[in-house]
Amino acid sequence: MPGLRDVAKKVYLTARRRQPPAQTTQPELIEMVRAHTSSVEALAFFKDGRRIVTASMDKTLRIWDVEKRAFIGWPFKGHRDIVMSVTVSPDDRRIASSGEDNTIIIWDVESKQMIFKPLVEHTRRVSSVCFSPDGERLASGSWDDRVIIRDAETGAVLSTLNGQGSHVLCVAFSPDGLKLACGGSRGNIWVWCTDNAELLFKIDAHGDWVNSVVWSPDGQQLVSASDDKTIKFWDSSNGFQIGLPCTGHTGIIYSLAISSDDSFIATASHDTTVRLWSTKSHLQIGQALKHTTYVDCVTISPSGELLASGDCDGNIWLWSIENILSETFGLDSLHHFYFAHRSKRKLGRQLYVEALSDANKVIELNPSSYLGYELKYAALRGARHYDDAFKAFKIMLSMLDDAPDPHIRQLRQKYVSPSEVEDAIRRAIHAQLENAPLRLINTSTGRLCNRDVQINIFIESTGYKKLLHSSDMHAPLKTEPVEEVVTKYFSWVMLSHRWERKEPLLHDIQDKVIYELDPVGTMVKLQKFCKVARDAGYRWAWSDTCCIDQDNNVELQQSVNSMFVWYHHSALTIIYLSDVPPSSKSGALANSIWNTRGWTVQEFLAPKIVLFYQADWSLYLGNLSRNHKQSFRIMDELERSTGIDARALIHFHPGTKDAREKLRWASNRDTTREEDIAYSLFGIFDVNLPVIYGEKRQKALGRLLQEIIAHSGDITALDWVGQSSNFNSCLPADISSYKALPYVLPFLSEHDIQKSVSTLRNDIVVVESASKLYATLENLSVPRFANARLQLPCITFTLTEVRRRPGQDGARCFAYDIKANGLQDLLVTTKDKLVEFWPTRRTRQTFMLVRPWNRYDLGLINFADETQTIEDWPEPGFPGYNESTTQELRLIVRLGQPFGALLLAQQWGGEYKRIASDNNIIAQVRDMTSVDDMMDVRMVEIL
């Protein structure tokens, strides 16, 4: 019967009180203290290792201060019967206890008060409780054959695990909290998934009650102790037994604990002993620790320094594990455990020389074991003797590979090989340098280095050896620390500045130490820049003057197309304002010549971190912050002076979106080489094009605009005023043509749209025509731009009359009154002389006003636009409901609004050329209901 064991125990205790304590010989005991008036049923160390909490048959709990050898305050009282189990939360702020009164109590450690009333979901005694590793859940096992997992903060039940079919005697969370193991009265172990309460597997583990089960610290094994007097080890992934059982106890094993380093376990038995066992060999370590009565519980401190046990007389026994292991000398083959344990303790205290001495002793005593070399590797690595550490690690791996015991060989899978670490380092270097400049100046040595030299310097450095041998060698390899070290080592600083006369070029510094060159002219700027970068903790620096081979066309092209990326991935960009004197006031940055140069746009948009320096290399406005992009004062000044929105200044994303706005940013910038006004924008628009110095400004800008339109279909780049380009007449000759703000359609409220739609809906002819026009426009191709020819989708309106206003002889610009089919009359001002014609004076040349077709006018959701979502679709019954007729009529309303038109003249080959205007040409249909006037939809080829 289940209760017979408890009855026998009580009879034994009564008899024990009538007998004097037995005399024993054993390892030195630190302390034995009477904690309770009756049996100590459970005990646990706090995570700080300085306190122990005990649970007793006397219905109370107590906290004992290990250092002061004294109890803290009064007992915890609240249970109505025997307290069977106790556990401490990971943050040491709460304890949970359970007992024969069928309840669980969660206590506040500081106040010793219940956090809430006892939890009573179980219907029989609760034999075990356990916090999850994160402290957020609490598991309990009961004689009602159930396991309950609850929220540790609220006490609410999260899940109930049924199906054990026997009393649940113990529960334990895996180290990652994803699994839960429990042992029962029929000798079984169940392993559950805590996320979905699914039973993963069941182990037929013992021939009698499983009183205790624990996980190895790495979560790969389970260890169980039983009434059948054995301890067994299990593979936690499949439930298969590992090795032979630990045998030696002559009585029930009631409790089990495992050391934090996974080297040994301790067991408490009713044979009045506590025993230590090797987790590797499963052999007993040293002598049994004899007690004067039954031992019900055992625990090991987190540091592995102390062992505590509780007996049936209410005593706590405290042992030094080092003393226990020291007794193993000469007693058995495991006496090297003493030195192994001491070496681990000294490693924890960073006493690497002493730890190495003990590790060598382990190797001397047990040369066939990998353990000594594992400790030696850790000690040498801690002492930064990386080459010797590497040798010790390789020997350890070799011994694991050659071990005769298959379970020892299996431990090899826990480690990665040095070659795997080397591969990870190489991959991290490649990833870092993939976005780095081709050459960088070593700020320590002052020498210019290409990538191969940079890598060789790193491999020969102590930092590389430290990374290779200090990485966590446990599988799977954690690559984040490797990437972090590599990124820090190879991080670079970029310089943004205004070029001056006689800047140092590549041949001026190659194979030289820049700090040893004469500090005259612009060389001083380069030297000072490298020193500032070095003093900021960066090893590498880049300047566009001397880190690019200007005579190598292939390298020059690669550099121009990669420069935005280099600035973006830099650890810091230093912006040097050579014309801003020390102690300048706000506004000096806005007036700096640096703020007028073409290349500097991408140089302050691309980086994530920038610092502005004045002429004397002091920080602008005395701002000592890490990143001037976080300075509202500086960014506000830059926003006002550049016209660039502050959000774009701080968090810019390259690409062809909002092309017209980005072109306006560069419209008042200058460059020394005329083609650079286009090349300096490659990175901003995220395009990659050939660099052809000598092609001249118009062709360079034309190729860029052609790529933007061809790639994105964005026709806003056609919105400009000024002179046409020789590359294509639809493009401007100069980027300054984008200075004027783009034309913005007049605002049309939703109420006005609905009102117009309601009116149009009553005209069946308009509805039918609108449907045809909508279908035509929906199927219209996107713009195509290649070989300087633009295929532009348009709604066209043929001109019927062009008359020049009188009195303009000798004028630079001419004003024309223009009439077109379906459009209101309008005025166009242009430098071009147009052929005049009217109905009675016809011309053979065809002129058109066209509305470039923008697909967005269809009113469809653009899912590529992050600012639009499915929520933008109106619902039935609401204004703008997306019913087909409504959508088509809404298009007609939009087409009835004023629009920016292009004036085109047909050429002999049937193509067209754009006639540039000094002002936006704003046109509007004469009658919105005359849909047929808008039906001339076509692709127009423009030269």
Side-chain angles (χ1 to χ4, degrees):
M1 293 177 62
L4 285 178
R5 184 168 61 171
D6 293 337
V7 172
K9 180 176 178 180
K10 291 177 180 178
V11 171
Y12 175 83
L13 290 176
T14 302
R16 281 289 308 149
R17 295 188 185 103
R18 300 172 184 167
Q19 299 174 1
Q23 300 298 316
T24 60
T25 301
Q26 57 188 5
E28 182 180 352
L29 179 68
I30 294 178
E31 184 91 9
M32 183 180 74
V33 61
R34 186 66 176 267
H36 295 273
T37 60
S38 189
S39 174
V40 178
E41 296 290 306
L43 76 172
F45 270 100
F46 281 75
K47 302 304 178 288
D48 61 17
R50 299 194 303 268
R51 294 168 292 170
I52 296 173
V53 60
T54 59
S56 172
M57 187 180 282
D58 67 9
K59 309 175 188 178
T60 69
L61 297 97
R62 301 197 74 177
I63 295 178
W64 191 51
D65 189 312
V66 176
E67 294 179 345
K68 297 179 180 179
R69 304 288 194 266
F71 288 101
I72 302 174
W74 57 88
F76 293 73
K77 294 183 178 180
H79 283 283
R80 300 187 308 274
D81 208 330
I82 297 172
V83 188
M84 303 185 68
S85 179
V86 67
T87 182
V88 181
S89 66
D91 61 7
D92 281 353
R93 294 171 55 194
R94 294 167 295 161
I95 57 177
S97 58
S98 66
E100 289 201 10
D101 57 2
N102 307 346
T103 69
I104 299 166
I105 300 177
I106 301 179
W107 310 82
D108 177 74
V109 172
E110 186 174 354
S111 66
K112 296 193 175 181
Q113 299 297 314
M114 302 180 192
I115 294 178
F116 30 72
K117 293 180 179 179
L119 306 171
V120 293
E121 284 80 8
H122 286 293
T123 57
R124 297 191 67 182
R125 66 171 63 173
V126 185
S127 51
S128 180
V129 285
C130 177
F131 278 107
S132 62
D134 59 11
E136 295 180 359
R137 293 163 294 167
L138 183 74
S140 58
S142 169
W143 281 38
D144 64 8
D145 301 357
R146 294 185 301 160
V147 173
I148 294 178
I149 301 176
R150 65 187 76 239
D151 187 306
E153 290 292 332
T154 65
V157 174
L158 301 176
S159 59
T160 301
L161 310 180
N162 296 302
Q164 277 78 202
S166 66
H167 305 332
V168 181
L169 307 177
C170 52
V171 292
F173 277 102
S174 62
D176 59 12
L178 300 178
K179 298 177 183 178
L180 183 79
C182 56
S185 57
R186 294 187 178 178
N188 298 322
I189 299 172
W190 295 265
V191 178
W192 302 82
C193 174
T194 56
D195 284 343
N196 55 16
E198 176 188 356
L199 179 63
L200 299 177
F201 54 83
K202 171 187 170 185
I203 307 172
D204 294 326
H206 294 272
D208 211 330
W209 291 23
V210 178
N211 294 313
S212 186
V213 62
V214 297
W215 295 80
S216 62
D218 61 10
Q220 295 185 11
Q221 293 187 41
L222 282 165
V223 189
S224 58
S226 169
D227 272 14
D228 68 6
K229 308 171 187 177
T230 66
I231 305 103
K232 295 183 179 180
F233 295 76
W234 314 94
D235 187 320
S236 63
S237 65
N238 52 31
F240 294 166
Q241 186 171 344
I242 299 173
L244 297 174
C246 300
T247 58
H249 279 295
T250 58
I252 292 169
I253 305 172
Y254 213 72
S255 179
L256 169 67
I258 191 166
S259 64
S260 58
D261 64 0
D262 193 22
S263 62
F264 65 91
I265 59 172
T267 53
S269 170
H270 280 194
D271 65 5
T272 73
T273 69
V274 168
R275 301 175 190 244
L276 271 57
W277 311 84
S278 166
T279 55
K280 305 300 185 292
S281 66
H282 301 180
L283 298 176
Q284 184 175 322
I285 303 171
Q287 298 184 62
L289 306 179
K290 297 180 181 179
H291 293 58
T292 58
T293 182
Y294 286 172
V295 191
D296 280 338
C297 49
V298 66
T299 184
I300 301 170
S301 68
S303 66
E305 297 180 19
L306 300 173
L307 181 146
S309 56
D311 69 17
C312 288
D313 285 342
N315 298 315
I316 303 173
W317 301 61
L318 189 67
W319 313 79
S320 163
I321 292 177
E322 184 171 333
N323 289 345
I324 295 171
L325 297 178
S326 69
E327 296 293 327
T328 63
F329 286 151
L331 296 179
D332 53 46
S333 61
L334 295 175
H335 55 268
H336 67 280
F337 256 81
Y338 167 72
F339 291 104
H341 178 76
R342 197 167 73 172
S343 179
K344 291 175 184 178
R345 285 186 57 196
K346 290 175 179 176
L347 284 171
R349 296 175 182 175
Q350 298 183 351
L351 301 174
Y352 299 118
V353 174
E354 293 89 338
L356 177 61
S357 175
D358 284 342
N360 285 327
K361 194 68 176 176
V362 174
I363 295 172
E364 179 185 339
L365 293 170
N366 192 358
S368 63
S369 171
Y370 76 95
L371 179 60
Y373 290 99
E374 182 181 48
L375 295 169
K376 184 174 183 177
Y377 163 68
L380 289 168
R381 186 181 67 178
R384 300 184 180 182
H385 297 160
Y386 300 118
D387 291 335
D388 291 336
F390 187 52
K391 294 176 183 177
F393 183 75
K394 290 173 67 175
I395 294 174
M396 181 195 75
L397 294 184
S398 175
M399 298 188 76
L400 288 173
D401 288 332
D402 298 338
D405 187 338
H407 299 295
I408 298 295
R409 289 199 302 273
Q410 192 174 17
L411 295 176
R412 173 63 180 82
Q413 300 174 10
K414 294 170 57 177
Y415 299 94
V416 297
S417 65
S419 62
E420 291 178 76
V421 181
E422 290 173 338
D423 289 342
I425 295 174
R426 278 194 292 269
R427 289 193 300 271
I429 293 174
H430 174 75
Q432 178 70 1
L433 295 184
E434 188 177 23
N435 297 312
L438 305 177
R439 294 183 184 83
L440 290 167
I441 300 171
N442 188 321
T443 61
S444 297
T445 65
R447 291 188 176 276
L448 186 67
C449 304
N450 61 26
R451 289 182 177 178
D452 290 338
V453 173
Q454 294 169 47
I455 294 172
N456 289 336
I457 292 174
F458 176 58
I459 291 176
E460 293 172 2
S461 70
T462 303
Y464 174 79
K465 294 178 181 178
K466 179 179 179 181
L467 178 61
L468 182 62
H469 306 311
S470 67
S471 300
D472 184 356
M473 306 299 283
H474 288 83
L477 177 65
K478 296 179 177 63
T479 58
E480 293 83 0
V482 173
E483 293 164 358
E484 182 178 343
V485 171
V486 169
T487 299
K488 182 177 180 180
Y489 183 91
F490 287 98
S491 61
W492 64 91
V493 180
M494 303 284 282
L495 176 65
S496 173
H497 65 119
R498 180 207 174 192
W499 273 54
E500 301 173 56
R501 296 183 63 186
K502 296 183 179 179
E503 291 278 359
L505 302 177
L506 178 67
H507 66 268
D508 295 319
I509 71 166
Q510 198 160 31
D511 301 323
K512 300 174 184 177
V513 177
I514 63 168
Y515 300 131
E516 297 176 357
L517 299 176
D518 291 339
V520 294
T522 53
M523 181 60 70
V524 177
K525 175 171 61 175
L526 179 62
Q527 292 169 337
K528 188 63 178 177
F529 161 62
C530 290
K531 289 178 181 178
V532 170
R534 180 191 63 195
D535 293 345
Y538 298 102
R539 186 173 280 101
W540 306 103
W542 183 91
S543 172
D544 56 355
T545 60
C546 56
C547 294
I548 299 175
D549 186 351
Q550 309 283 344
D551 298 324
N552 185 324
N553 289 332
V554 174
E555 181 179 328
L556 185 62
Q557 175 158 305
Q558 182 180 356
S559 299
V560 169
N561 279 288
S562 303
M563 209 170 295
F564 184 95
V565 174
W566 296 348
Y567 275 97
H568 179 70
H569 288 278
S570 67
L572 168 67
T573 291
I574 288 176
I575 299 174
Y576 179 60
L577 310 173
S578 59
D579 57 347
V580 175
S583 304
S584 292
K585 304 298 182 183
S586 183
L589 167 60
N591 296 322
S592 172
I593 297 177
W594 172 88
N595 208 21
T596 67
R597 308 304 297 170
W599 283 103
T600 59
V601 178
Q602 75 168 359
E603 291 171 7
F604 67 77
L605 286 177
K608 294 183 278 291
I609 300 176
V610 302
L611 290 174
F612 290 90
Y613 283 84
Q614 301 172 135
D616 66 344
W617 289 93
S618 61
L619 288 164
Y620 181 57
L621 301 183
N623 189 309
L624 300 178
S625 64
R626 176 178 172 269
N627 184 5
H628 283 174
K629 283 197 173 188
Q630 296 175 350
S631 167
F632 172 80
R633 188 178 178 188
I634 295 177
M635 288 301 103
D636 181 63
E637 180 181 352
L638 208 54
E639 180 181 22
R640 285 186 284 105
S641 62
T642 62
I644 302 175
D645 180 79
R647 286 188 300 178
L649 288 172
I650 299 171
H651 302 294
F652 177 75
H653 299 287
T656 54
K657 183 181 178 182
D658 300 324
R660 178 61 173 77
E661 177 67 6
K662 294 172 182 175
L663 291 166
R664 186 179 66 83
W665 297 344
S667 62
N668 58 355
R669 298 274 169 166
D670 297 315
T671 55
T672 302
R673 303 181 75 166
E674 58 180 300
E675 297 90 351
D676 279 345
I677 198 63
Y679 301 164
S680 64
L681 299 177
F682 284 3
I684 288 176
F685 288 104
D686 194 21
V687 299
N688 194 308
L689 293 171
V691 175
I692 313 171
Y693 283 111
E695 66 176 333
K696 303 300 180 184
R697 181 191 309 268
Q698 290 193 29
K699 187 173 182 180
L701 182 59
R703 287 194 299 114
L704 171 63
L705 297 174
Q706 173 179 268
E707 182 69 12
I708 292 170
I709 296 171
H711 178 76
S712 66
D714 183 356
I715 58 174
T716 60
L718 306 181
D719 183 357
W720 52 269
V721 294
Q723 183 180 351
S724 289
S725 169
N726 295 329
F727 181 82
N728 183 283
S729 63
C730 240
L731 303 179
D734 193 275
I735 200 166
S736 61
S737 293
Y738 291 109
K739 283 183 181 179
L741 292 173
Y743 174 71
V744 179
L745 291 173
F747 174 73
L748 193 62
S749 69
E750 184 62 31
H751 173 75
D752 292 336
I753 294 176
Q754 285 300 311
K755 184 177 179 180
S756 299
V757 167
S758 298
T759 302
L760 294 174
R761 196 187 295 274
N762 297 323
D763 190 329
I764 187 64
V765 176
V766 171
V767 171
E768 291 178 355
S769 298
S771 178
K772 294 177 183 178
L773 179 59
Y774 189 95
T776 301
L777 293 172
E778 188 176 23
N779 293 317
L780 200 59
S781 298
V782 297
R784 296 191 296 273
F785 209 154
N787 301 318
R789 288 176 175 258
L790 172 62
Q791 301 287 334
L792 185 66
C794 300
I795 301 176
T796 66
F797 303 89
T798 303
L799 266 60
T800 59
E801 184 174 319
V802 176
R803 291 178 185 266
R804 192 174 80 180
R805 291 191 172 183
Q808 301 183 78
D809 294 338
R812 296 182 61 186
C813 293
F814 305 96
Y816 294 90
D817 291 305
I818 290 179
K819 296 180 184 292
N821 287 332
L823 294 180
Q824 298 178 13
D825 296 348
L826 65 156
L827 176 69
V828 173
T829 302
T830 177
K831 292 180 180 179
D832 295 334
K833 286 188 176 182
L834 303 184
V835 176
E836 295 186 81
F837 64 92
W838 49 86
T840 59
R841 181 185 173 184
R842 299 187 179 277
T843 178
R844 294 182 180 180
Q845 189 173 17
T846 300
F847 292 87
M848 294 190 305
L849 277 171
V850 301
R851 175 176 187 150
W853 173 241
N854 189 336
R855 185 170 176 79
Y856 297 131
D857 286 338
L858 288 173
L860 301 175
I861 295 293
N862 177 21
F863 292 102
D865 187 348
E866 296 179 357
T867 64
Q868 297 190 48
T869 68
I870 194 65
E871 296 173 357
D872 293 328
W873 287 87
E875 297 182 3
F878 287 83
Y881 167 52
N882 190 30
E883 181 260 331
S884 59
T885 301
T886 299
Q887 195 170 16
E888 293 157 0
L889 294 178
R890 288 173 68 88
L891 171 64
I892 300 302
V893 174
R894 285 192 290 272
L895 293 179
Q897 301 305 302
F899 63 91
L902 306 182
L903 178 58
L904 305 181
Q906 191 174 35
Q907 307 301 298
W908 290 109
E911 309 93 342
Y912 286 82
K913 278 193 173 183
R914 176 177 176 176
I915 298 173
S917 172
D918 286 349
N919 295 287
N920 285 318
I921 301 176
I922 307 303
Q924 186 173 12
V925 297
R926 184 177 297 113
D927 183 359
M928 181 172 58
T929 62
S930 300
V931 181
D932 289 343
D933 289 341
M934 296 182 277
M935 292 296 288
D936 190 359
V937 178
R938 62 175 106 162
M939 293 289 288
V940 179
E941 184 174 6
I942 303 175
L943 302 178

